[in-house]
Amino acid sequence: MSSEVNMKVLVIGANGNTATRVVRRLAEGSHDPVAMIRNPVHRDKFDKLCVPTVLADLEYPIDHAVQGCDAIIFAAGSGGKTGKDKTVLIDHIGAIRTMVAAQVHGVRRYIMLSSINNDINSQSPIAHYHRAKAHADNHLVGTDLDYTIVCPGGLTDEPGTDLVSVSSKLQGKGMTSRENLAAALVACLDLDLSIGKSFSLLDGDMPTADALSAL
């Protein structure tokens, strides 16, 4: 079942590689994106897309950014060039801060861009990241928000194919085109069947709409 009601969607981490693709797709579709950015120098990029921006930092309260929105797509990340402390501050604590703000301000729909192989006891080469994301995901599942958690594999800049593989198994190997990922994140907004679901998303051979509808 789909519900295509126009929504004001706050995209958190909008300047990121995947999130910018999300904003662009939202702007071309039926919803109204708001790009949450930390640095005002990034505002020009979204001005060119005719997308409003809001300045906010996940290390501080973001209530002003959340107010008046109908949905949130969390696509922020501390990035590979920062230390483990920033990973905890952004991907774990910062993410939870956005969930609390969503609950306080009545933003019911929440879509989390997560990662495959998350585990609070991870021993992977990027265990600090997998642990932080797992803690955030676990908190989200425990809220009363209408959440969807999308767990891609290794991200690439390959062109979108609209062909993916979706599974309830959140451990494994595989790659995910950022374009395919952005398309899925946006599609979930209108797909009630994705509410309360966590799934892995890899490049595959099934059209995105069909794969998501089979959740």
Side-chain angles (χ1 to χ4, degrees), residues 27 39-40 47-48 61 63 78-79 95 105 122 127 135 152 157 161 167 178 197 201 208-209:
N39 190 333
D47 286 346
K48 291 176 180 176
D63 297 73
S78 55
H105 297 287
S122 175
H135 279 296
D157 290 325
T161 61
S167 173
R178 286 187 171 90
K197 301 289 179 61
L201 181 91
T208 303

Side-chain angles (χ1 to χ4, degrees), residues 146-174:
D146 293 333
Y147 72 86
T148 302
I149 300 174
V150 183
C151 301
L155 297 178
T156 75
D157 290 325
E158 294 298 313
T161 61
D162 193 37
L163 296 172
V164 298
S165 171
V166 168
S167 173
S168 59
K169 296 180 181 178
L170 306 182
Q171 306 293 314
K173 296 181 179 180

